[in-house]
Amino acid sequence: MILLLLIGSVSIVSSYEYDTNGYVFFCLCMGRFGNQADHLLGSMSFAKQLNRTLIVSPFRTYKNVPFSEWFKFEELQKYHRVISAEDFMKFIAPKSWKENERIGFCWSYEPNKECKLKDGNPMENFWTELGVERFTRSVNFILSFYDYEQWRIQYPASKYPVLSFRGAPASYPVQKQDRINQKYLVWSNKIDEESQDLIKKYFDDEKFVGIHLRNGIDWLNACRDIEQYDTYMSSPQCLDGTNKKLNRNICFPSNDLILEKLEDVLVNKLNRTIRNVYIATDKNPMMKEIKSYFDKKNLKLNLVHHDPWLPVIDLAILTKSEFFIGNCVSSFTAFVVRDKILKSGSYEFWAFNK
């Protein structure tokens, strides 16, 4: 509970009541935003199942980005007890999580191995920017993050008030049962307004198809040996409930497969009613290839590749699309697909038929 003390017109104190049920704290440090979002969704379930307050970590770019910059904190509060990492360090830590009381948790089969929460990048900068200079001792564990009962038994809040992890207490990709937690990730007014302004600018508020292309050399290398895996990165989002196998086309579709799928959506499924296409990519937007292909089909398209400095702007725009096409293996695509499912929106994957 937040307690506010006002004297005159000046706010003097803003503090929180200490939660005797304990807290969950972790470095949201794996990969880029898509991976971090997956980890956040699973960590939400972990904290709720243990009935501990979730300390909401900032997202990690080249710096810590507070959750509330990108999403509405009040929506997250509808799920479970939460406190921002910044507020926890300001109002709770000075009295109830002092420097000599900080225990770090690491997954390891070696019980005597030191758990170095601040070793490496971005872990060191993540904790330092929050004001955590060191952890005085460590605990190594081999428990599954889904063995909630054993977590309650082995690490009670009375002895371990703050479970502070080197990484998120969740799996990647996000487990199927945790995907629904995305309903509590609602864009902040700032992100929502910026994305809506861009839709107005480029499409005059008309409907548009959003596509996500993953075609850089890093992704080519990541997809090289994909056929040896049953699942790979975010592939469960399209393979769950099917007997289909991973193949290179699903992960790194050719230009021809991309053009064919886009034609199927624009011409066959949407009956040429939408001619606006928003392209999100970290490499090649294929503007020339798409234009040339559809010019020959007598379908003049309005193609937009905004390429924002913040990738979450792309995501906010893609979630507002009438129809979305993305990459089955990508966690960036997965964020949009979860949003589409929650809102009964339309989506497909390159080189894959549902």
Side-chain angles (χ1 to χ4, degrees), residues 193-251:
E193 289 169 7
E194 183 172 346
S195 62
Q196 200 59 53
D197 286 346
L198 289 169
I199 292 171
K200 174 69 175 177
K201 172 183 175 181
Y202 290 125
F203 304 133
D204 197 24
D205 285 334
E206 293 179 350
K207 293 179 180 179
F208 65 97
V209 169
I211 68 175
H212 174 220
L213 301 176
R214 203 64 165 86
N215 51 23
I217 187 65
D218 63 324
W219 197 250
L220 176 64
N221 292 333
C223 297
R224 195 177 304 279
D225 300 317
I226 193 170
E227 293 178 354
Q228 67 181 289
Y229 301 102
D230 292 327
T231 63
Y232 187 59
M233 292 194 276
S234 290
S235 66
Q237 67 176 323
C238 69
L239 296 180
D240 273 359
T242 77
N243 57 5
K244 296 184 178 182
K245 303 294 184 182
L246 279 171
N247 60 64
R248 188 166 174 176
N249 286 336
I250 289 176
C251 189

Side-chain angles (χ1 to χ4, degrees), residues 40 43-44 47 57 90 122 137 173 221 257 280 325 350:
L40 176 59
S43 300
M44 289 165 61
S57 299
K90 183 176 181 179
R137 68 186 182 96
N221 292 333
L257 287 172
I325 314 172
W350 305 116

Side-chain angles (χ1 to χ4, degrees), residues 101-108 110-117 135-141 155 160 164 166:
E101 301 170 344
R102 295 172 185 173
I103 305 172
F105 283 73
C106 289
W107 193 95
S108 176
E110 302 178 49
N112 297 319
K113 183 178 180 181
E114 184 181 359
C115 170
K116 299 180 179 180
L117 262 75
F135 291 86
T136 52
R137 68 186 182 96
S138 61
V139 170
N140 292 334
F141 65 91
Y155 304 107
Y160 301 97
S164 49
R166 177 177 171 86

Side-chain angles (χ1 to χ4, degrees), residues 145-214:
F145 291 126
Y146 296 90
D147 194 348
Y148 305 124
E149 184 60 25
Q150 283 303 308
W151 276 101
R152 287 188 285 266
I153 293 172
Q154 294 187 35
Y155 304 107
S158 57
K159 186 175 181 180
Y160 301 97
V162 180
L163 300 178
S164 49
F165 296 97
R166 177 177 171 86
S171 63
Y172 173 79
V174 61
Q175 295 294 297
K176 186 175 183 179
Q177 67 268 24
D178 297 330
R179 296 174 191 168
I180 194 172
N181 291 347
Q182 186 157 327
K183 69 187 288 187
Y184 301 100
L185 300 188
V186 178
W187 296 116
S188 66
N189 290 339
K190 176 183 176 182
I191 297 298
D192 187 60
E193 289 169 7
E194 183 172 346
S195 62
Q196 200 59 53
D197 286 346
L198 289 169
I199 292 171
K200 174 69 175 177
K201 172 183 175 181
Y202 290 125
F203 304 133
D204 197 24
D205 285 334
E206 293 179 350
K207 293 179 180 179
F208 65 97
V209 169
I211 68 175
H212 174 220
L213 301 176
R214 203 64 165 86

